[in-house]
Amino acid sequence: MPLARRLTLRDAVAIGLGSMIGAGVFSVWSPAVSVAGGGLLAALALAAVVAFCNATSSAQLAAVHPVSGGTYAYARAEIGPWWGFVAGWCFVIGKIASCAAMAMTFAAYAAPSGWQVPVAVGAVAALCVVNCFGVTRTALLTRVLVVVSLIGLAVVVAAGITAAPSAEPAPLAEPTAYGVLQGAGLLFFAFAGYARIATMGEEVTDPARTIPRAIVLALSGAVIVYALIAVVTMLVLGADAATSAAPLADVLTGAGWSAAVPLVRVAAATASLGALLALLTGIGRTTLAMARESDLPRFLAKVDDRWKVPRRAEILIAAIVIGIVLVADLRGAIGFSSFGVLLYYLIANAAAFRQGEDARRYPRWLQITGALGCLVLVSTLPVVASLIGAAIVLVGVGYRMLRLRLAP
């Protein structure tokens, strides 16, 4: 049974922004400044260029293949089933780790000490229930969460621009080429949410027109927000941002706006919740698409008769995320997730490159640039995270080989 087409352009842009303007904008500045130093804006620009190239590839593919699954479906059609499987598997495992990280980030801002794990579990369970009762409810809640997040970020920008810092900020370290690349790799993780729009191609109205526009609009909005936050963080905190656990709260304190710190805390928790909601939605759709092709168990291909959502896939994904929250140390989860995300977009660029002239919306040099950017950024990730990511990709490949061998 196909999914219902209920999402408008506004809904799709909101879901993309909800994915990109998430917990990362409140926490990514410390690690990014620590490696990029004074080259933070250069790192942000590099991440944005790679993200834009990848976004145009996703948009071009989505216009021709308006179905659920994102690059999993695109690569199957343009390159072959094995490429599609690797893309889908990388997306699912990488974004499951992201979901757990987002849930824990939400709990860190919203829960009192000692209650972080129960609150994180409760958040995942609650959003799973929302997703199980229809995608229009998901889009509506995401719009609300995005608005609250943007209000908090607007306060931070206003504080950083209009108020003089209480002390001269510590000078930023001189940037190095490798440090800028590392910073771009970290910042790219925050931009990757536009893929959520493409994975929902079967539920968007007029997908050939809506999806490309929504991807570009959502990415452009996110770049503007991140650039403004990067500038005020450097102006107020300088090098001290590298050691700050809550850099945007410290921006307010340093700018003399301490009374607004609780607002940023609420906005950070809200943004984490919005990103978690959009992530759970996108993973469920990719899981549905893979199950339809038997690349995951066919049991997960069921679409609920009443609410027109892949309820079984949504529940399974939520259960796995809850399991990770309960037992795992997620300090390396971001690196592992970035590994999967960058491989996913590498394959997206390859699939878009293979498209013929009748489907082409963007020049091939954009796909080449995007693919090279993915390769460069993935090479800067921590070695352990990359090794773990590669091992889990091989496990997925082994599963598919076994299934094909045992298939009648």
Side-chain angles (χ1 to χ4, degrees), residues 10 13 18 29 48 56 64 99 121 126 135 153 155 168 173 175 191 202 215 245 264 292 300 304 334 353 368 392 398:
R10 185 173 61 178
V13 171
W29 307 109
T56 58
V64 178
C99 284
V121 169
V135 72
L153 294 174
V155 171
E168 191 70 22
F191 283 128
E202 199 170 323
I215 288 175
V264 169
R292 283 172 169 171
L300 300 173
D304 184 80
I334 296 300
F353 184 84
I368 295 172
I392 296 181

Side-chain angles (χ1 to χ4, degrees), residues 108-130:
Y109 280 97
S113 179
W115 286 87
Q116 283 88 353
V117 172
V119 170
V121 169
V124 176
L127 294 186
C128 177
V129 171
V130 171

